[in-house]
Amino acid sequence: MRAIAVKAATAWSGNAADSIVLDYDDRHRRRMAMTATKGLAFLLDLPGVMSLRSGDALVLEDGRLIEVIAAPEQLLEIRCADPLQLTRLAWHLGNRHVPVQVLPRSLRIRRDHVLAEMAEQLGARVLEIEAPFDPEGGAYAAPADDHHHHGHEHHHHHDGHDHGR
């Protein structure tokens, strides 16, 4: 059995046949053998690498849906005293091309002691947490749809400068 398409979370409803819990890395695949939580084995076989988001559904060849659930991961939640400080910190993380989940009053990144130290030096409060990680898709992500591909594909852009590396 193959999973051949993805439906965005907003494009499907009802009960899925099964679910699969995946971390951030495993939600960025094109082809991979998978086993869902109730034991259904299938091959993820998409036309290209897709960025799956929690709540999306993999569409099996027979039409059944497998719900994607983001697995809890070891993260840093970064909080700041005010929106300007949070924005400044987001800029520093973006300049390092770090995947960032933007929340109303905080940022989440994967645990990294160097980035934690940088955030603290910029005046942020850094908390170690375990939670699902669902970072921003990027400026070049296409809008989600419910066709045979998913709209959160990554398109890499290089503008010729090295961002201080």
Side-chain angles (χ1 to χ4, degrees), residues 86 90 100-108 133-136:
L86 191 64
V100 177
Q101 182 175 355
V102 179
L103 300 168
R105 292 190 242 333
S106 63
L107 303 172
R108 287 183 181 169
F133 187 48
D134 204 11
E136 292 295 309

Side-chain angles (χ1 to χ4, degrees), residues 4 22-23 31 42 72 78 95 103 109 111 137 146 155 158 162:
I4 56 172
L22 301 170
D23 67 14
R31 189 174 171 93
F42 63 95
I78 302 168
N95 194 45
L103 300 168
I109 61 172
R111 282 194 194 168
D146 62 347
H155 299 281
H158 184 71
D162 67 5

Side-chain angles (χ1 to χ4, degrees), residues 2 8 10-12 24 43 53 56-57 84 86 115 141 150 157:
R2 295 181 316 141
T10 57
W12 71 279
Y24 176 66
L43 175 66
R53 305 205 48 119
D56 287 350
L84 178 60
L86 191 64
L115 294 176
H150 193 277
H157 172 75

Side-chain angles (χ1 to χ4, degrees), residues 23-162:
D23 67 14
Y24 176 66
D25 288 333
D26 283 341
R27 286 184 282 127
H28 294 80
R29 304 286 179 182
R30 183 188 85 72
R31 189 174 171 93
M32 184 170 125
M34 297 183 156
T35 303
T37 57
K38 295 178 188 171
L40 177 63
F42 63 95
L43 175 66
L44 180 68
D45 193 12
L46 301 173
V49 175
M50 308 280 172
S51 294
L52 304 172
R53 305 205 48 119
S54 199
D56 287 350
L58 300 173
V59 182
L60 298 177
E61 291 171 302
D62 63 7
R64 289 181 294 167
L65 301 177
I66 307 294
E67 183 177 6
V68 175
I69 298 171
E73 299 186 49
Q74 303 293 310
L75 304 176
L76 297 175
E77 184 159 295
I78 302 168
R79 297 178 178 261
C80 295
D82 59 58
L84 178 60
Q85 186 183 32
L86 191 64
T87 303
R88 183 173 288 121
L89 188 56
W91 181 87
H92 281 282
L93 293 169
N95 194 45
R96 287 160 180 79
H97 300 278
V98 174
V100 177
Q101 182 175 355
V102 179
L103 300 168
R105 292 190 242 333
S106 63
L107 303 172
R108 287 183 181 169
I109 61 172
R110 289 180 147 168
R111 282 194 194 168
D112 180 308
H113 71 281
V114 172
L115 294 176
E117 187 176 305
M118 177 199 73
E120 289 169 346
Q121 287 176 353
L122 291 169
R125 189 168 135 225
V126 179
L127 306 168
E128 290 188 357
I129 65 167
E130 188 172 311
F133 187 48
D134 204 11
E136 292 295 309
Y140 300 97
D145 62 40
D146 62 347
H147 300 293
H148 292 290
H149 58 85
H150 193 277
H152 298 283
E153 298 174 21
H154 287 283
H155 299 281
H156 296 285
H157 172 75
H158 184 71
D159 55 13
H161 66 282
D162 67 5

